[in-house]
Amino acid sequence: MLIEILAPTGAEVGAQQFGFMEAMEQGGPVAWSILAILVIQSVGSFYILFTKIFEQNKVMKEYRTNRAAFWRAGSIKEGATKFDKNSAWRQLVDDGIRAGDESAKMHDSLESHDWLHGTLARSESAIMAKLNGGLPFLATVGATAPFVGLLGTVIGIYRALINIGMSGSASIDKVAGPVGEALIMTAIGLLVAVPAVFAYNYLMSRNRKIQSMLSGFSTDLQANITSNGAVKPALAPAAASKTAAAKPATTKAGATATSTTPNAPKA
């Protein structure tokens, strides 16, 4: 039955045409099915790549933009409003506030500390699990796409051998079509796998950077909660530096005005 599916018809044996569409038509349903799988893998890989880049950029931009405003707020409950309601950083702050209120009810300080630390760690894990969503698909595509293309290669070579057996000669016109189909499938498999591997490694490196940012923010948040707001991370004194930069200009302007004022006439 497999030979009947893969074997070309008499017309195909008599007149071979070359080209991508001709090779796919000679391959039949098997070749088209393999091509469809590779196309689905490729489209899914690029979709995940672009959506994850957008999601990662949103997380990192919000942290850089609102971090200083959060820590300059009077309390972390007030600072939480600086982040978007559905953002990863707002989720971490809300979980920390809730864990802080619950840990205050515990009589053992060690258990209170562990509860707060564990809650923040679980919140980080939940955020990273969402950011890592879809990456296993990229890894799967990168690992399996070459083998899917190789399956098409094997079938194409098998069809070439069938052509040789049916025609009784190994002329180039009998084997060029199936072998060309085989090479096309191998190339398509590599074209699908290589971008998926690069996308996976790129997104993973950005996720590790976000995880480092989450870990640092979580540590600062825990220190602030356990110290009742006394401990805060050091921030760049942006307002002070602007004031200091404007001060010399004012002094210089004053000095110029003084030097241009005419001397009062002597009595």
Side-chain angles (χ1 to χ4, degrees):
M1 181 177 180
L2 180 61
I3 295 179
E4 294 177 355
I5 295 175
L6 298 179
T9 63
E12 290 175 343
V13 174
Q16 290 281 357
Q17 295 182 356
F18 305 103
F20 176 76
M21 294 303 299
E22 286 76 10
M24 296 303 301
E25 289 174 0
Q26 293 173 21
V30 177
W32 285 109
S33 299
I34 294 174
L35 180 63
I37 292 173
L38 292 174
V39 169
I40 291 172
Q41 288 182 333
S42 179
V43 172
S45 298
F46 281 102
Y47 174 78
I48 292 173
L49 172 63
F50 292 127
T51 54
K52 286 301 173 182
I53 287 178
F54 175 77
E55 187 177 359
Q56 291 171 343
N57 286 340
K58 182 179 179 181
V59 172
M60 291 188 288
K61 181 179 179 181
E62 185 177 12
Y63 180 72
R64 297 190 185 102
T65 304
N66 300 325
R67 176 178 179 270
F70 171 80
W71 289 115
R72 288 194 178 99
S75 63
I76 59 174
K77 291 184 179 180
E78 179 184 348
T81 60
K82 306 299 181 180
F83 295 117
D84 292 339
K85 186 175 181 180
N86 297 322
S87 68
W89 308 103
R90 179 65 177 270
Q91 175 185 337
L92 193 61
V93 173
D94 290 342
D95 291 341
I97 293 173
R98 185 180 66 256
D101 295 338
E102 294 172 351
S103 63
K105 303 175 183 178
M106 299 181 179
H107 301 289
D108 191 341
S109 60
L110 182 60
E111 291 182 358
S112 175
H113 176 272
D114 290 343
W115 173 256
L116 178 58
H117 177 76
T119 301
L120 291 175
R122 287 192 297 272
S123 183
E124 287 182 50
S125 298
I127 294 170
M128 291 309 304
K130 183 178 180 181
L131 290 174
N132 288 327
L135 298 189
F137 179 82
L138 292 178
T140 302
V141 171
T144 61
F147 296 101
V148 175
L150 184 60
L151 176 61
T153 300
V154 172
I155 293 175
I157 294 175
Y158 182 58
R159 290 186 63 254
L161 295 176
I162 294 176
N163 283 352
I164 295 173
M166 295 180 64
S167 62
S169 65
S171 58
I172 189 64
D173 60 330
K174 299 299 186 297
V175 299
V179 171
E181 173 201 332
L183 296 177
I184 289 173
M185 287 300 179
T186 301
I188 294 175
L190 292 175
L191 288 175
V192 172
V194 172
V197 172
F198 275 105
Y200 175 80
N201 292 329
Y202 176 68
L203 295 176
M204 282 297 295
S205 65
R206 287 166 62 90
N207 276 352
R208 284 192 290 269
K209 183 177 180 180
I210 293 176
Q211 186 172 16
S212 177
M213 296 165 64
L214 285 171
S215 179
F217 184 74
S218 176
T219 302
D220 295 337
L221 188 62
Q222 181 177 354
N224 183 270
I225 293 173
T226 54
S227 64
N228 293 324
V231 177
K232 291 184 177 182
L235 299 174
S241 61
K242 291 181 180 179
T243 304
K247 196 170 183 179
T250 305
T251 304
K252 185 177 179 181
T256 304
T258 302
S259 61
T260 55
T261 302
N263 295 330
K266 294 182 179 179

